[in-house]
Amino acid sequence: MIKLCILPLFLLYCLGQAAALGRGELVSVQFLGAETRAAIADEFDQPLVSYDVQYYRAVYTTLNTAGQIDTVSGLIAIPIDPTRTFPRLLYQHGTAASKTDVPSFNATSSSGEGRWALLFAGVGFITLMPDYLGLGVAKGFHPYVHAASESWVAADMLRAFPAFAQQYGVHANEQLFVTGYSQGGHASMAFHRDAESIWKAEFPVTAAAHLSGPYSLGEVMRDMALSDGVYLYPAYIPNLLIGYQGVYGNIYNSLEEVFRSQYVGDIAEFRDGKINLLSLQIRLVAKLTLYELACRPRRLFRPEFLQAITTDPNHPLNVALRENNTYHWASQAPTRLYYCSGDDQVPHQNTLLARDTMLARGAKNLAAADVKPGANHSNCVEPAIDSAISFFLTYRTIGLVSAVSEAPLLPLVLQPNPTSGTLWLRQLSDAGLLEVFDLSGRVRSAAQVDAPGDFALDLSSLERGIYLVRFTSGNRIWQNKVVISR
């Protein structure tokens, strides 16, 4: 069993400058927020939510694509129950529209992908969501759908996680679940593949669910991009090419060599960080529609470059695409591939090819399912994640911490709850000790109650969040949670 913990609430843990560290080491942690079980259940319309949750931005070290130590960020969400041991769940996120459109930054937004961490944690998984290289706090250009770095950045987050929690009483068991949507499906499959090969002893996978991912970059995605069909997401193409040029260095000599002149300026602004991916997307759709009468991404390319990549299977771009396929292997852990047949961004043929290839190679307990027939990419997210949760719950184990007292806990009446300052404890039956714990188990306030009745407690000095209030008298314990809001 791995014993893990939650650190204090704001800047909690610091090991010094990343340059002095190895990979997989924690640099800092920032408290982002807390949600009650009821609020999470209501937000996601999910009756299986059983735990309050706190979530944090973790900054840790990894390698960049040049093999140098780099600093990246990710989101960690913790289900709150100090008496339980929880499994870990690794979730890889989809394409980021901007540098901060990543879990550790958008979890506080009502529409951010990081919000899914609250659902996963609420149903009983310690959830880790890496932001990837070049996104979040990381510097440089993000190497889009680069399988190796998607995998090792996730591995290093798992390696950094024990330091996040080493001083307090939150516990994780040995189970590890792996999932991700869209680009995250590609990334989760890349990590799963590596976890069952090069990191087999370090990261045994309990179960995996890969969701609507572009697993076949070298075939399905390439063929779609090079066809002359309408595709309303042309910005993915320069995003990939610029990222691969940064990794491999041999895809092209200049953007002018690759793209036609009317598109180069916008793509160069994106490469240089002057506009984000969403802005590039809007511009390219508008210009392709203007110049080509429809959004046909093939027409971004100069004829010479298009001729080279369509006729030469050993062109560096074709080699790189095949290298970043993630489906030529046989999974051993129970695995599901969830997709929607109407996907307008990542064709469902990616999933069918992955399923057939992996089964032919000897994959065990692998199946694919169309979770909402006819749904497009955006409308597939919720049913795919719900399906992943249902699948994982058939394997999930939550245990009891062996050192937990067997004494029964009695309900403690707290008013008002939530509170912004003064908390009243109603109808205390005797004198005793009153303690307030943060959800890492650290005592934040203590007082001696000298007589039965009501007792007022000032909590105005504590940060917003969820706290545990405990009253002990003799061999009896009363306990309840309070939410401090500001």
PDB file of all heavy atoms in Angstrom, residues 180-192:
ATOM      1  N   GLY A 180      -8.652   9.105 -21.029  1.00  0.00           N
ATOM      2  CA  GLY A 180      -8.448  10.412 -21.639  1.00  0.00           C
ATOM      3  C   GLY A 180      -9.336  10.543 -22.859  1.00  0.00           C
ATOM      4  O   GLY A 180      -9.737   9.526 -23.462  1.00  0.00           O
ATOM      5  N   TYR A 181      -9.646  11.791 -23.227  1.00  0.00           N
ATOM      6  CA  TYR A 181     -10.575  12.029 -24.327  1.00  0.00           C
ATOM      7  C   TYR A 181      -9.905  12.835 -25.429  1.00  0.00           C
ATOM      8  O   TYR A 181      -9.168  13.788 -25.173  1.00  0.00           O
ATOM      9  CB  TYR A 181     -11.811  12.791 -23.836  1.00  0.00           C
ATOM     10  CG  TYR A 181     -12.903  12.864 -24.883  1.00  0.00           C
ATOM     11  CD1 TYR A 181     -13.773  11.802 -25.054  1.00  0.00           C
ATOM     12  CD2 TYR A 181     -13.022  13.964 -25.729  1.00  0.00           C
ATOM     13  CE1 TYR A 181     -14.755  11.833 -26.041  1.00  0.00           C
ATOM     14  CE2 TYR A 181     -14.001  14.009 -26.709  1.00  0.00           C
ATOM     15  CZ  TYR A 181     -14.866  12.945 -26.869  1.00  0.00           C
ATOM     16  OH  TYR A 181     -15.826  12.968 -27.854  1.00  0.00           O
ATOM     17  N   SER A 182     -10.192  12.473 -26.705  1.00  0.00           N
ATOM     18  CA  SER A 182      -9.698  13.185 -27.883  1.00  0.00           C
ATOM     19  C   SER A 182      -8.171  13.092 -27.942  1.00  0.00           C
ATOM     20  O   SER A 182      -7.649  11.975 -27.948  1.00  0.00           O
ATOM     21  CB  SER A 182     -10.207  14.634 -27.863  1.00  0.00           C
ATOM     22  OG  SER A 182      -9.985  15.265 -29.106  1.00  0.00           O
ATOM     23  N   GLN A 183      -7.459  14.226 -27.988  1.00  0.00           N
ATOM     24  CA  GLN A 183      -5.999  14.109 -27.877  1.00  0.00           C
ATOM     25  C   GLN A 183      -5.657  13.287 -26.648  1.00  0.00           C
ATOM     26  O   GLN A 183      -4.697  12.504 -26.646  1.00  0.00           O
ATOM     27  CB  GLN A 183      -5.326  15.476 -27.780  1.00  0.00           C
ATOM     28  CG  GLN A 183      -3.806  15.353 -27.636  1.00  0.00           C
ATOM     29  CD  GLN A 183      -3.095  16.652 -27.298  1.00  0.00           C
ATOM     30  OE1 GLN A 183      -3.714  17.708 -27.216  1.00  0.00           O
ATOM     31  NE2 GLN A 183      -1.788  16.588 -27.112  1.00  0.00           N
ATOM     32  N   GLY A 184      -6.448  13.458 -25.595  1.00  0.00           N
ATOM     33  CA  GLY A 184      -6.214  12.688 -24.379  1.00  0.00           C
ATOM     34  C   GLY A 184      -6.397  11.201 -24.560  1.00  0.00           C
ATOM     35  O   GLY A 184      -5.784  10.405 -23.844  1.00  0.00           O
ATOM     36  N   GLY A 185      -7.250  10.774 -25.498  1.00  0.00           N
ATOM     37  CA  GLY A 185      -7.359   9.356 -25.800  1.00  0.00           C
ATOM     38  C   GLY A 185      -6.082   8.828 -26.430  1.00  0.00           C
ATOM     39  O   GLY A 185      -5.616   7.720 -26.111  1.00  0.00           O
ATOM     40  N   HIS A 186      -5.506   9.624 -27.329  1.00  0.00           N
ATOM     41  CA  HIS A 186      -4.205   9.290 -27.909  1.00  0.00           C
ATOM     42  C   HIS A 186      -3.154   9.225 -26.812  1.00  0.00           C
ATOM     43  O   HIS A 186      -2.348   8.282 -26.738  1.00  0.00           O
ATOM     44  CB  HIS A 186      -3.841  10.362 -28.948  1.00  0.00           C
ATOM     45  CG  HIS A 186      -2.512  10.171 -29.607  1.00  0.00           C
ATOM     46  ND1 HIS A 186      -1.359  10.753 -29.121  1.00  0.00           N
ATOM     47  CD2 HIS A 186      -2.154   9.500 -30.724  1.00  0.00           C
ATOM     48  CE1 HIS A 186      -0.348  10.442 -29.906  1.00  0.00           C
ATOM     49  NE2 HIS A 186      -0.800   9.673 -30.893  1.00  0.00           N
ATOM     50  N   ALA A 187      -3.164  10.224 -25.911  1.00  0.00           N
ATOM     51  CA  ALA A 187      -2.172  10.288 -24.838  1.00  0.00           C
ATOM     52  C   ALA A 187      -2.354   9.159 -23.825  1.00  0.00           C
ATOM     53  O   ALA A 187      -1.378   8.580 -23.343  1.00  0.00           O
ATOM     54  CB  ALA A 187      -2.258  11.641 -24.135  1.00  0.00           C
ATOM     55  N   SER A 188      -3.600   8.852 -23.481  1.00  0.00           N
ATOM     56  CA  SER A 188      -3.827   7.786 -22.496  1.00  0.00           C
ATOM     57  C   SER A 188      -3.419   6.434 -23.063  1.00  0.00           C
ATOM     58  O   SER A 188      -2.865   5.592 -22.350  1.00  0.00           O
ATOM     59  CB  SER A 188      -5.283   7.769 -22.030  1.00  0.00           C
ATOM     60  OG  SER A 188      -6.174   7.446 -23.080  1.00  0.00           O
ATOM     61  N   MET A 189      -3.653   6.221 -24.369  1.00  0.00           N
ATOM     62  CA  MET A 189      -3.221   4.964 -24.957  1.00  0.00           C
ATOM     63  C   MET A 189      -1.696   4.898 -25.042  1.00  0.00           C
ATOM     64  O   MET A 189      -1.093   3.830 -24.836  1.00  0.00           O
ATOM     65  CB  MET A 189      -3.848   4.744 -26.331  1.00  0.00           C
ATOM     66  CG  MET A 189      -3.593   3.337 -26.860  1.00  0.00           C
ATOM     67  SD  MET A 189      -4.369   2.968 -28.448  1.00  0.00           S
ATOM     68  CE  MET A 189      -6.039   2.618 -27.947  1.00  0.00           C
ATOM     69  N   ALA A 190      -1.048   6.043 -25.310  1.00  0.00           N
ATOM     70  CA  ALA A 190       0.414   6.069 -25.333  1.00  0.00           C
ATOM     71  C   ALA A 190       0.976   5.697 -23.960  1.00  0.00           C
ATOM     72  O   ALA A 190       1.921   4.897 -23.847  1.00  0.00           O
ATOM     73  CB  ALA A 190       0.904   7.448 -25.760  1.00  0.00           C
ATOM     74  N   PHE A 191       0.405   6.283 -22.898  1.00  0.00           N
ATOM     75  CA  PHE A 191       0.883   5.946 -21.558  1.00  0.00           C
ATOM     76  C   PHE A 191       0.587   4.487 -21.227  1.00  0.00           C
ATOM     77  O   PHE A 191       1.442   3.779 -20.669  1.00  0.00           O
ATOM     78  CB  PHE A 191       0.239   6.854 -20.507  1.00  0.00           C
ATOM     79  CG  PHE A 191       0.555   6.410 -19.107  1.00  0.00           C
ATOM     80  CD1 PHE A 191       1.751   6.771 -18.520  1.00  0.00           C
ATOM     81  CD2 PHE A 191      -0.324   5.596 -18.401  1.00  0.00           C
ATOM     82  CE1 PHE A 191       2.075   6.321 -17.239  1.00  0.00           C
ATOM     83  CE2 PHE A 191      -0.010   5.152 -17.120  1.00  0.00           C
ATOM     84  CZ  PHE A 191       1.191   5.517 -16.544  1.00  0.00           C
ATOM     85  N   HIS A 192      -0.610   4.030 -21.545  1.00  0.00           N
ATOM     86  CA  HIS A 192      -0.987   2.645 -21.249  1.00  0.00           C
ATOM     87  C   HIS A 192      -0.020   1.676 -21.922  1.00  0.00           C
ATOM     88  O   HIS A 192       0.452   0.707 -21.295  1.00  0.00           O
ATOM     89  CB  HIS A 192      -2.423   2.410 -21.723  1.00  0.00           C
ATOM     90  CG  HIS A 192      -2.977   1.073 -21.381  1.00  0.00           C
ATOM     91  ND1 HIS A 192      -4.181   0.628 -21.873  1.00  0.00           N
ATOM     92  CD2 HIS A 192      -2.505   0.060 -20.612  1.00  0.00           C
ATOM     93  CE1 HIS A 192      -4.425  -0.589 -21.422  1.00  0.00           C
ATOM     94  NE2 HIS A 192      -3.423  -0.951 -20.655  1.00  0.00           N
TER      95      HIS A 192
END
